[in-house]
Amino acid sequence: MSERPRLTVLSGPSGVGKSTVVAHMRKMHPEVWLSVSATTRHPRPGEKNGVQYHFVDNDEFDKLVANGELLEWAEFAGNRYGTPRAAVQEKLERGEPVLLEIDLQGARQVRESMPEAQLVFLAPPSWDELVRRLTGRGTESQDVIEKRLAAAKIELAAEPEFDTTLVNTSVEQVAAELLALLGVA
Ligand SMILES: Nc1ncnc2c1ncn2[C@@H]1O[C@H](COP(=O)(O)OP(=O)(O)OP(=O)(O)O)[C@@H](O)[C@H]1O
Ligand SMILES: Nc1nc2c(ncn2[C@@H]2O[C@H](COP(=O)(O)O)[C@@H](O)[C@H]2O)c(=O)[nH]1
């Protein structure tokens, strides 16, 4: 009997570098499949529907929830985000690894529904560096940055709930560590 296919969750505070690390990893290994979440957040400049996210309005998101189409979902800093269930199930049924990049509330839901999943926490080298990265990205208003930093304090305190912690000092190094955890490299 083959080993059960693995679902990996990558979580960590807003601005720590999750998307940057995953993008670097997929540049080296395009075969790594990342779930595309649905969100009610407005696209940032350069973001395309169906690529970074499926951008939906509140009614569409309500329908996804009501129809049981989301594996998990959460409200984060004023917007809702959720993982479409069907694509994840299809990949796992084919025996292919699955990567989710989601917040702490979503990670906790996955732990409940799929205890075999591995939960990876991406931590910043320091609090000041996290603030620098989130602010320096320049994509959020000061009000939203403050909401995200308030959430970050809760997320950092939850680090012991995760199976593994990776510290994002070097994008290249942490991408290699994540690949190893995915069983790709
Ligand atoms: N190791 C690193 N060293 C320096 N800067 C980094 C590093 N990793 C990421 N960054 C920078 O930090 C900023 C935030 O990164 P990114 O958008 O990937 O974070 P995130 O965790 O995906 O955030 P969110 O949860 O808000 O989507 C970006 O400007 C990115 O270039
Ligand atoms: N619970 C979920 N969280 C998600 C999902 N997709 C993304 N996220 C997380 O939301 C925040 C904010 O993302 P941003 O793109 O607006 O910066 C971040 O922590 C993401 O990881 C999801 O499907 N479910």
Side-chain angles (χ1 to χ4, degrees):
M1 176 103 92
S2 65
E3 203 180 298
R4 196 169 194 165
R6 265 272 161 114
L7 182 142
T8 301
V9 168
L10 180 66
S11 214
S14 178
V16 70
K18 300 178 296 296
S19 302
T20 305
V21 165
V22 169
H24 183 78
M25 187 179 74
R26 294 179 79 211
K27 212 161 111 186
M28 305 296 152
H29 287 270
E31 75 276 17
V32 173
W33 187 79
L34 174 71
S35 166
V36 178
S37 299
T39 185
T40 58
R41 170 167 79 61
H42 293 301
R44 294 178 184 137
E47 286 186 331
K48 289 197 177 69
N49 191 31
V51 179
Q52 289 82 8
Y53 284 105
H54 302 290
F55 294 100
V56 299
D57 63 24
N58 271 308
D59 288 348
E60 288 171 301
F61 201 95
D62 284 344
K63 279 185 200 143
L64 292 173
V65 174
N67 294 338
E69 289 180 57
L70 299 179
L71 179 66
E72 60 72 36
W73 71 272
E75 183 163 340
F76 181 89
N79 291 297
R80 288 185 290 169
Y81 301 80
T83 303
R85 188 190 296 279
V88 168
Q89 268 176 352
E90 192 186 306
K91 285 280 163 190
L92 290 176
E93 275 160 22
R94 282 201 219 143
E96 295 172 20
V98 162
L99 177 61
L100 308 183
E101 191 195 315
I102 61 176
D103 86 324
L104 170 66
Q105 305 166 79
R108 284 176 171 158
Q109 292 170 48
V110 171
R111 169 123 290 167
E112 279 292 308
S113 62
M114 306 175 81
E116 71 280 11
Q118 69 171 335
L119 267 50
V120 180
F121 189 82
L122 192 61
S126 68
W127 175 259
D128 286 354
E129 176 62 12
L130 178 68
V131 176
R132 251 192 307 277
R133 286 182 192 173
L134 183 55
T135 310
R137 191 171 66 188
T139 49
E140 270 76 34
S141 63
Q142 192 54 37
D143 172 53
V144 173
I145 288 174
E146 277 161 24
K147 281 188 191 160
R148 286 173 180 246
L149 289 175
K153 289 196 173 133
I154 296 166
E155 297 192 288
L156 288 167
E159 188 223 308
E161 294 177 33
F162 287 75
D163 299 310
T164 309
T165 295
L166 304 177
V167 180
N168 182 15
T169 303
S170 147
V171 172
E172 293 74 16
Q173 188 181 325
V174 89
E177 289 167 352
L178 186 57
L179 274 172
L181 288 171
L182 288 167
V184 174

